[in-house]
Amino acid sequence: MAFDDLDQDWSLIQSFLAVAETGSLSAAARLLSRSQPTLGRHIKTLERALSATLFDRHPKGLSVTAAGAELLPLARQMRETMSEIAIRTAGRDSRLAGTVRVTSSVFVAHYVLPGILARIRQAEPQIQIDLVPSDDSENLLFRQADLAVRMYEPEQLDIVCQHVCDTEIAAFAAHSYIERAGWPETAEDLRQHDLIGYDRSDLMLRTMADLGISGDREMFVIRCDNQSAYWELVRAGCGVGFSQAIVGRNDPSVTELHLGIDVPALPVWLAAHQAMRQTPRIRKVWDMLFDELRSMMA
C-alpha cells in the first residue's frame, strides 16, 4: 500500500489512532471529545484516500485490518511528531494567562483538588484550569494533560516529577455502621465486621498480606474498584473501609478506627513534560499545587 498520496490531515490520523487503540467509535469519541459521526466520517475519508479498508466491523466494535495494521506504526510516528511540535511551541509561551490541564485520580479530583483549585483561581484569576479526573494514566507526552497528580513515581522519559509528600491511609466506618455493628478494636476484630474491598484489584489483599492479615476476596461483603464510589459506600454505612486519612478525618459522617495496624502511606507526586514545566502558568500552578498538597496531605 502506498502512503505518498495520503492527505496529511492530522485530525484524520488522530481519529484513526483513537479507534484503533480503543476498539470502538464510542470509546474513541470519548477519548478525543468528538462525536461518533465525526469519527466515522474521518475513518471513511481516510479509507477513501488510501483505497483500503482499515477496520473490520463486528458486534463488539472494530478491529484493525491488515491495511490498518500497516498504517498504525506510521500514524503513531506522526502522533509523536505532532505532539513534540505542540509541546515545544507551547513551552515557549511566556504568558501567565491561559489554560492549564490538570489530571488526577477520580478520588483526588473529587475530594482533594476542588478546594485547592478554588484557591489557585482566586490567587491567579487569569489562569483557567481543566480538571481531568481519570484512574488511567493520562499521557503527558501527548498533552492529554499539562500537570498530573500521581500516587506513584512516573518513569516516562521526558517527564519531570517532584515528590510532594506521603499521605496517611487509615480505616474508617460511618457512625451509622458503628451504632449498628459496634467498634472493631483490632485487626482480628475485622473478621466479625462487614468489610468493603476492591473488586478486580488485589491491592488491598496484597497490603493486608504484607501486614500479616490473611484473607481472600470473599471476606469483602461489598467490592468496588472506583475509589470515589468506594468512599461513598463507607460513608453510607456499608461497612469498614480504608481511605486517605485527610479525607476521612474531615468527613463528619465517619469515624476513624484505630486497629493497631500500620498501613503503608501513599506517595504523592507532581509530574509534567520537561518542555512544559517552565511555561509560566504551568510553573505557577505546579508551585501552588505543591504547596497546597503538601500542607493538606502530609
Side-chain angles (χ1 to χ4, degrees), residues 107-259:
F107 184 86
V108 169
H110 282 184
Y111 297 106
V112 177
L113 288 183
I116 292 176
L117 297 183
R119 290 187 287 275
I120 291 176
R121 281 281 305 137
Q122 186 174 7
E124 302 293 342
Q126 69 274 49
I127 296 177
Q128 300 173 352
I129 296 173
D130 293 337
L131 177 60
V132 186
S134 175
D135 291 326
D136 298 325
S137 294
E138 295 292 318
N139 197 330
L140 297 171
L141 296 177
F142 299 139
R143 290 212 68 198
Q144 291 174 310
D146 299 311
L147 289 178
V149 181
R150 295 281 191 244
M151 300 312 188
Y152 57 87
E153 182 178 5
E155 296 181 348
Q156 294 168 296
L157 296 176
D158 298 326
I159 298 299
V160 294
C161 56
Q162 183 177 13
H163 180 239
V164 179
C165 63
D166 293 322
T167 191
E168 189 178 350
I169 303 297
F172 296 92
H175 298 298
S176 60
Y177 176 81
I178 297 297
E179 291 171 3
R180 181 176 76 251
W183 284 84
E185 296 182 355
T186 68
E188 190 62 29
D189 290 346
L190 291 179
R191 298 185 184 278
Q192 310 304 319
H193 284 265
D194 291 343
L195 295 182
I196 305 172
Y198 295 154
D199 180 15
R200 293 182 174 87
S201 170
D202 66 349
L203 175 61
M204 186 175 292
L205 290 174
R206 287 189 285 108
T207 301
M208 292 171 64
D210 291 342
L211 296 171
I213 304 171
S214 62
D216 55 31
R217 185 176 181 274
E218 300 305 314
M219 71 187 297
F220 302 124
V221 299
I222 295 184
R223 295 175 286 266
C224 180
D225 287 334
N226 181 287
Q227 295 293 304
S228 293
Y230 177 99
W231 181 241
E232 291 303 318
L233 293 171
V234 177
R235 296 182 73 248
C238 293
V240 176
F242 292 82
S243 185
Q244 294 178 29
I246 183 61
V247 174
R249 289 169 185 166
N250 284 288
D251 192 325
S253 69
V254 303
T255 186
E256 184 174 356
L257 305 176
H258 301 281
L259 304 172

Side-chain angles (χ1 to χ4, degrees), residues 82-130:
M82 295 297 292
S83 176
E84 187 67 17
I85 291 172
I87 287 172
R88 297 298 175 185
T89 301
R92 294 188 178 94
D93 191 345
S94 62
R95 299 172 301 164
L96 187 61
T99 298
V100 176
R101 192 170 177 84
V102 178
T103 186
S104 75
S105 70
V106 174
F107 184 86
V108 169
H110 282 184
Y111 297 106
V112 177
L113 288 183
I116 292 176
L117 297 183
R119 290 187 287 275
I120 291 176
R121 281 281 305 137
Q122 186 174 7
E124 302 293 342
Q126 69 274 49
I127 296 177
Q128 300 173 352
I129 296 173
D130 293 337

